[in-house]
Amino acid sequence: MPTPSAPPTAAESPPATRRSILLDLAFLRLWTGATASGLATWALPFVLGLAVFERTLTATDLGLLLAARTVGFLAAVPVAGVLADRHSRRGVVLWAGLAAGAAAPVIAAGLDRSVPLMAAAAAVAGAGQGACRPAYQALTAEVVDAGRRQQANAAMTLAVRVSTLVGPSLTALLAVLLDVWTLLMGIGLLWLVAACVPGRGARPGAEQDTSQRSAGAGRASFLAEFTEGVREARRHPWFLAGLGALTAVIATGYSATGVALPMVSRDEYGTEVVLAGAMTAYTAGALGGALLMARWRPRSPGRAALAGLASYGFAPLSLVFPVHPVVVMTAYAVAGIGIELFNVPWFTAAQREVAPDKLARVSSLDFLLSYGLAPVGLTVIAPAIDAFGTTAVLAACALVCFAAPATAALVPSARTFSTGRGRGDAR
């Protein structure tokens, strides 16, 4: 396979670099699809929660459905990574969105009738969500030129944060007028938007890359192709270090947010206001971080990103001591800013450094490990709190959040998130 050409420099394409990414119709279509998928993703658990409230679903059944969705997500991510590198990234987005869209009415049909049917459909919905993630990531690199990818990634992550904030709230408002069945059908329509609105990658060389992926598809098994993606990831020490730090932070800091924050809000403050305020502050901070990264180009992007990731440690740390609720909310706002200081340069570096024909597989490895171990942390933290106490567990979570990115920063190539090699060069 010929070595992919290096991406154009800013000097080679100054007009593209200066032009706002939101004026690019191809990216705007992709962003719209990603936003629709985000809204659908965040609305589903809330709508199913409304079914529990209406007694058409039990809390145990809700847990089963969410677990089934997570299993579908994790199973689909590596498969989608291979398919998106082997075939058209646009095709993977289309079929993933259609599958998730078709699952929504099946979930609605199973309400108060068949939990196994709903669980199977929830797994399909999760698979559609999981398949979209690496495909969207790789398709962004095809649609957007190198000079504007950081701005594009900031806009994409901004869509995720807006979806997180608006999805449940919008669903709650619609629930006043609509029943659960209708809301589930609406989620299906959102997935149809996510499937059908994005266009094909139209950058020079995209068609050639696709034909090369298809030509090699018959010469290697799925496992061999996924292993090839793992080898590509291993070529980039900064990626392995950053992924290890990200996985550790999500498995500990995210668990503290998901499990310990509600407990502390209830037991220490006696009100749900701390819980709601902290989560809102986190989302607001993330929105601010995404807006900042749309324009800021740090001199050492890797170290700045890892420092942002380490700031997640302030979230569990704020729950260790009896502090004013404003301190907790401020800590969560800082954590939200920090996570986007990491996400945007991280995605941009992967699109720049990873060989284009292996980008979806490397991205799938990213999502598989970082998101895949989060349920493990959520499962372990509550028993750990019972065994060792809230203070000890939260202090340990904070320590891991600070130490893991600091350790990753010791890797030389982590300073710039670059090995200094051309994409696709042999190690």
Side-chain angles (χ1 to χ4, degrees):
M1 181 182 295
T3 302
S5 59
T9 64
E12 293 170 338
S13 55
T17 303
R18 287 195 296 265
R19 186 187 180 198
S20 171
I21 194 65
L22 294 180
L23 297 178
D24 187 321
L25 180 59
F27 175 75
L28 192 58
R29 292 177 61 182
L30 183 67
W31 184 87
T32 301
T35 302
S37 70
L39 287 171
T41 296
W42 287 102
L44 182 59
F46 191 87
V47 172
L48 294 177
L50 291 176
V52 174
F53 181 79
E54 295 179 357
R55 300 186 185 280
T56 55
L57 198 67
T58 69
T60 300
D61 293 339
L62 173 61
L64 175 64
L65 296 182
L66 295 181
R69 188 178 73 149
T70 300
V71 170
F73 177 93
L74 296 177
V77 165
V79 176
V82 172
L83 293 178
D85 280 339
R86 180 186 290 180
H87 304 293
S88 163
R89 278 81 184 257
R90 175 66 187 89
V92 172
V93 168
L94 174 64
W95 288 107
L98 291 177
V106 176
I107 295 175
L111 273 175
D112 208 19
R113 292 186 180 89
S114 174
V115 173
L117 177 64
M118 296 179 70
V124 173
Q129 176 193 345
C132 277
R133 297 303 293 269
Y136 268 126
Q137 181 72 3
L139 192 56
T140 301
E142 287 187 0
V143 168
V144 181
D145 55 83
R148 294 184 296 164
R149 283 184 192 151
Q150 179 163 328
Q151 188 182 22
N153 286 318
M156 292 289 275
T157 194
L158 188 64
V160 172
R161 298 306 174 187
V162 170
S163 300
T164 305
L165 184 64
V166 174
S169 303
L170 180 61
T171 305
L173 291 175
L174 291 175
V176 177
L177 304 173
L178 306 173
D179 58 16
V180 171
W181 188 90
T182 305
L183 291 173
L184 286 170
M185 298 302 290
I187 289 174
L189 291 176
L190 284 173
W191 276 115
L192 290 181
V193 172
C196 299
V197 169
R200 291 183 178 274
R203 297 299 166 191
E207 295 82 1
Q208 182 180 0
D209 290 343
T210 300
S211 65
Q212 290 171 349
R213 290 195 297 270
S214 301
R219 296 196 298 268
S221 66
F222 167 84
L223 181 59
E225 289 199 37
F226 184 75
T227 303
E228 186 180 7
V230 174
R231 285 198 298 268
E232 172 65 18
R234 292 176 59 189
R235 285 201 321 109
H236 307 280
W238 63 267
F239 180 85
L240 296 181
L243 181 56
L246 176 62
T247 301
V249 168
I250 290 181
T252 55
Y254 177 80
S255 299
T257 298
V259 177
L261 177 60
M263 295 172 56
V264 171
S265 181
R266 179 197 63 197
D267 298 338
E268 300 297 329
Y269 295 96
T271 175
E272 68 277 7
V273 171
V274 177
L275 170 61
M279 296 308 299
T280 302
Y282 176 81
T283 303
L287 288 171
L291 290 172
L292 173 64
M293 292 311 297
R295 295 186 175 275
W296 185 39
R297 301 294 188 274
R299 181 172 298 179
S300 299
R303 287 182 179 172
L306 290 170
L309 183 62
S311 69
Y312 205 115
F314 290 113
L317 185 64
S318 70
L319 305 177
V320 172
F321 306 104
V323 297
H324 193 278
V326 172
V327 176
V328 177
M329 296 174 194
T330 301
Y332 271 82
V334 171
I337 294 171
I339 201 67
E340 295 308 336
L341 294 185
F342 175 84
N343 279 338
V344 176
W346 175 254
F347 293 143
T348 305
Q351 293 161 351
R352 181 187 66 244
E353 296 290 315
V354 173
D357 63 322
K358 301 178 182 68
L359 177 57
R361 279 169 284 179
V362 173
S363 296
S364 72
L365 185 65
D366 176 1
F367 293 123
L368 184 63
L369 290 181
S370 58
Y371 284 91
L373 290 183
V376 177
L378 289 170
T379 303
V380 169
I381 192 168
I385 288 175
D386 291 337
F388 304 105
T390 303
T391 300
V393 172
L394 288 174
C397 288
L399 180 61
V400 171
C401 289
F402 291 133
T407 302
L410 298 177
V411 175
S413 58
R415 184 177 70 85
T416 57
F417 278 172
S418 174
T419 58
R421 305 185 186 95
R423 300 194 305 182
D425 292 347
R427 187 172 183 175

